[in-house]
Amino acid sequence: MPRHVDKKIIGFDMDGVLVDNCPLKVAIAGKMGYNIKLADAPSEIIKNILKPEDLKVLQSALYHDIKISLGAKLMPNVSDLLRKIKSKNTPYYLISRRSDPPIAIKLLCARGLWPKYFNEANAFFVVEPEEKNTKAKELGVTHYVDDETKILNVLADVPNRFLFDHLNVFPEAGHYTKVSSHKELAKFFL
Ligand SMILES: [Mg+2]
């Protein structure tokens, strides 16, 4: 498609999309006495397994403990997709609900995504799910990828929503497109 008609503006969630925390969650939950499988680790599943107070402990370890947080890996082929998006000059953004941005940035640095692909100008940290919609609208995001249906449901102003489900644990859903890899996303984004 010629560049002048390519109006895509892409938005990414961080955890569960750029970053794979699932193995870490299994390990942390294991230490807390929960014998969960990888397929139980996505946010919208694990929250139904762990007691609320234990979920808080797990989230605190994952997102606020620098040592543990830095153990997260990237999703396969994410750097490759970002490199291609960048080379096409398609605008893209990170909109994350991480409440400790310095730790998020350290992780992205350690995994080679910051400042190569994300920096202060294209990375935004918000609090509430609805704020993701507000920020996406403000940035003119046309395509947004998240691993939680709860978030996609509130992104009313984003015309193209993608559910990133790398473990294939969610059923197909009506108002968004399910993808299981960054290679699959490339078909929509490049
Ligand atoms: Mg997420």
Side-chain angles (χ1 to χ4, degrees):
M1 205 189 287
R3 187 165 294 163
H4 67 279
V5 295
D6 185 0
K7 298 265 200 234
K8 278 196 276 296
I9 299 179
I10 300 168
F12 291 98
D13 173 41
M14 179 165 167
D15 297 290
V17 175
L18 302 179
V19 168
D20 182 8
N21 292 314
C22 286
L24 261 184
K25 289 185 193 171
V26 171
I28 298 167
K31 283 189 186 145
M32 297 169 70
Y34 290 93
N35 181 21
I36 65 163
K37 300 184 294 291
L38 210 49
D40 299 324
S43 303
E44 292 194 307
I45 298 175
I46 197 168
K47 73 178 183 194
N48 300 320
I49 300 173
L50 267 57
K51 286 186 207 152
E53 60 268 32
D54 291 339
L55 187 64
K56 277 195 185 141
V57 173
L58 176 129
Q59 287 170 337
S60 171
L62 265 185
Y63 306 126
H64 299 280
D65 182 313
I66 180 78
K67 259 186 161 171
I68 295 173
S69 190
L70 287 181
K73 302 280 189 277
L74 291 183
M75 288 290 176
N77 303 306
V78 65
S79 305
D80 192 49
L81 177 67
L82 290 169
R83 183 175 54 76
K84 289 173 178 165
I85 289 171
K86 197 176 172 183
S87 74
K88 288 191 74 181
N89 289 323
T90 303
Y92 64 93
Y93 298 98
L94 168 67
I95 308 175
S96 167
R97 290 175 61 227
R98 281 240 185 177
S99 57
D100 201 336
I103 288 188
I105 292 168
K106 279 199 182 85
L107 173 59
L108 294 173
C109 265
R111 295 288 166 266
L113 298 190
W114 190 291
K116 193 171 183 184
Y117 299 113
F118 294 103
N119 54 54
E120 304 287 353
N122 71 348
F124 299 92
F125 295 94
V126 300
V127 179
E128 299 301 331
E130 290 74 16
E131 290 175 63
K132 276 201 173 183
N133 187 56
T134 309
K135 182 52 78 178
K137 189 179 177 187
E138 184 188 311
L139 297 168
V141 170
T142 59
H143 295 60
Y144 191 85
V145 199
D146 208 287
D147 63 314
E148 294 184 63
T149 58
K150 168 185 103 176
I151 302 294
L152 292 173
N153 288 341
V154 300
L155 292 179
D157 292 297
V158 178
N160 305 284
R161 297 172 237 178
F162 296 84
L163 178 67
F164 198 85
D165 178 16
H166 73 298
L167 297 169
N168 265 312
V169 288
F170 295 106
E172 286 288 342
H175 42 287
Y176 35 75
T177 305
K178 194 173 102 109
V179 291
S180 59
S181 69
H182 285 286
K183 277 190 174 164
E184 206 181 336
L185 266 184
K187 294 178 201 160
F188 297 95
F189 289 0
L190 299 177

